[in-house]
Amino acid sequence: MAAGRGARTWRFDTGRICLDLVATEPAGGAPGTCEQLDGPVRLARWLGDARLVPPGTALTGLDDTWVTGFRELRSAVSCLMATQLGGPEADGALERVNALASGAPPGPRAVRGADGGLVRTLSAVPDCAALLAVVARDAVDLLTDPAARAALRRCQGEDCHRLYLDTSRGGRRRWCSGEVCGNRERVARHRRRTLRAADGRGPGRERGEAAPTGGG
């Protein structure tokens, strides 16, 4: 699912909300993307689109300190996930996530909607610490779940650095999205084949590769 300005990078398809947050950083998206959480308005929109708050929730206290808090959590989660994929240890990142996860998340309530059906709302307008706790707890759950850790992947698309959980059969998923990076790779592959054919090198050989000779 894509939402917000620049639908190529504003997506919620990583499999975990903590990884969706990481995907908002410039290095976490498609080539050439910029900071996605560039101010309170954008953060408020992301919180709503990510379903961290019910539609129509008025976050009256949201200001630049919220933006700083979510960016700092994003950086800590990004470092911890990189460590899981063989990167260096992230100094202070685990302590930061644990501290934020210790906060109390927003309390949900079920109320009657206009049509009489039950809809989700919150028992009180959430503050920044409560919403940070939701994402931090999700990161703790991922990091302490062996199956989830084993499914953590980084997109193999050119210049794409998105993290995601590979829940495909056999664990053979290569891209964060088959419709985005997967399609981009297929188009590039087709272009290379077309250029090779036009160059007279045949469909199976790159420039400089010797033509096959007889023998086994």
Side-chain angles (χ1 to χ4, degrees):
M1 179 177 70
R5 183 183 64 195
R8 289 196 311 157
T9 55
W10 194 274
R11 303 198 322 255
F12 301 95
D13 52 7
T14 68
R16 299 298 286 258
I17 189 62
C18 64
L19 300 183
D20 287 333
L21 177 62
V22 172
T24 66
E25 64 183 357
T33 57
C34 58
E35 171 62 62
Q36 293 291 292
L37 303 181
D38 57 6
V41 172
R42 288 286 291 164
L43 176 58
R45 189 175 301 166
W46 185 86
L47 292 170
D49 290 343
R51 303 295 188 265
L52 282 175
V53 296
T57 301
L59 299 173
T60 55
L62 198 160
D63 57 17
D64 287 332
T65 63
W66 288 46
V67 177
T68 299
F70 271 88
R71 285 185 182 180
E72 289 178 350
L73 173 58
R74 181 181 68 183
S75 178
V77 173
S78 180
C79 290
L80 289 171
M81 298 306 164
T83 299
Q84 292 299 315
L85 293 174
E89 290 292 330
D91 293 339
L94 186 58
E95 291 77 8
R96 177 64 176 165
V97 170
N98 281 335
L100 293 174
S102 67
R109 295 178 62 204
V111 300
R112 295 289 178 187
D115 61 355
L118 291 174
V119 295
R120 183 175 72 98
T121 186
L122 301 178
S123 57
V125 176
D127 60 14
C128 185
L131 294 174
L132 286 171
V134 176
V135 182
R137 288 182 179 209
D138 183 63
V140 170
D141 286 343
L142 192 162
L143 291 167
T144 56
D145 181 344
R149 289 201 311 267
L152 183 64
R153 303 282 188 275
R154 192 177 294 280
C155 183
Q156 296 182 33
E158 184 177 358
D159 296 327
C160 183
H161 306 284
R162 281 180 178 268
L163 296 167
Y164 63 92
L165 293 189
D166 180 4
T167 57
S168 65
R169 180 172 297 182
R172 297 178 179 178
R173 180 176 160 192
R174 295 178 52 203
W175 303 297
C176 61
S177 168
E179 290 74 26
V180 181
C181 286
N183 187 61
R184 187 181 295 122
E185 175 62 24
R186 287 187 286 272
V187 169
R189 191 183 304 140
H190 174 73
R191 185 180 298 115
R192 289 194 296 269
R193 285 198 300 265
T194 301
L195 289 173
R196 286 199 299 271
D199 233 7
R201 287 176 281 134
R205 298 193 299 276
E206 299 284 352
R207 182 180 299 276
E209 182 180 353
T213 58

